[in-house]
Amino acid sequence: MDDYEEQASVASNVGRMPMEPSPSKGAVKVGGWRYEDSTRYIGEWNQRGQKHGLGHLQFADGTRYDGQFVEGMSHGLGCLWFADGAKYEGEFMNGWFHGHGIFWRADGMKFEGEFRGGKIWGLGLITYQDFTHGFPRNEGYFQDCRLLRKRRCPEVVQKAQKCALMARSQCDHPY
């Protein structure tokens, strides 16, 4: 393997969960499907007919997911836009926000940090619509969406921003 191939291999794994399968590995075809409830999917599929690889999933209520799928579930990097105007950009695991990312509420408040099982859980920072962080500053360890311990965590916020940027850039695929 020459330097170019090695660099490409390393770069393709940035932002993925450790030891996770590559979402596009196993994708055998590209196509679309409209479900009975008017949900639509356009993207890559595996041998078993599951969403697998990059894809675009549009729900009947207007909620939209663009990103990586593994065996039918959002898994890896992706962007989720809710019908009410809220959105999440970052890492997913088995259909949940899980890992690092940014969640914006419809009112403009955002959380940059760690998520577990679809909830704010871990280190992170809240920023309100007026670009303040509250007083005292809402930064530290959150569990089940509540701030438990105050602590500066700029490295976690930066990783969340990086994952969100990578997810956003991936969502510009042709589907």
Side-chain angles (χ1 to χ4, degrees):
M1 177 182 296
D2 66 20
D3 287 340
Y4 176 76
E5 289 173 342
E6 188 173 318
Q7 289 172 355
S9 173
V10 170
S12 69
N13 289 323
V14 173
R16 290 217 179 97
M17 305 289 174
M19 304 300 288
E20 293 295 328
S22 170
S24 290
K25 187 174 184 180
V28 294
K29 58 186 164 186
V30 175
W33 185 260
R34 182 183 302 265
Y35 297 88
E36 287 182 22
D37 68 354
S38 296
T39 296
R40 295 183 317 236
Y41 174 74
I42 300 172
E44 299 174 331
W45 302 82
N46 66 11
Q47 284 289 101
R48 293 183 286 183
Q50 297 172 313
K51 297 178 280 293
H52 194 87
L54 285 177
H56 169 84
L57 185 63
Q58 177 84 40
F59 294 93
D61 71 354
T63 299
R64 185 178 96 215
Y65 173 79
D66 283 352
Q68 299 172 341
F69 289 87
V70 172
E71 296 180 356
M73 305 286 285
S74 51
H75 192 96
L77 293 171
C79 301
L80 182 63
W81 294 270
F82 295 92
D84 69 356
K87 68 178 176 177
Y88 173 81
E89 298 173 345
E91 297 175 310
F92 286 80
M93 188 170 83
N94 297 325
W96 297 99
F97 309 165
H98 194 92
H100 294 83
I102 301 175
F103 178 79
W104 286 267
R105 289 191 338 193
D107 66 6
M109 187 184 96
K110 73 176 173 180
F111 176 82
E112 301 167 283
E114 299 173 319
F115 295 82
R116 186 181 304 168
K119 296 180 181 177
I120 293 172
W121 198 300
L123 295 171
L125 172 66
I126 290 178
T127 304
Y128 295 99
Q129 185 177 15
D130 64 0
F131 303 105
T132 65
H133 305 291
F135 186 80
R137 188 177 174 94
N138 288 296
E139 181 176 22
Y141 183 79
F142 291 79
Q143 186 173 337
D144 201 16
C145 303
R146 290 191 335 245
L147 179 60
L148 296 183
R149 288 187 303 277
K150 294 189 180 298
R151 175 181 155 199
R152 299 280 295 175
C153 54
E155 66 287 340
V156 171
V157 172
Q158 286 176 341
K159 186 167 184 181
Q161 291 169 344
K162 180 179 179 182
C163 287
L165 177 65
M166 290 170 45
R168 205 170 30 253
S169 68
Q170 171 182 277
C171 292
D172 293 334
H173 60 78
Y175 308 130

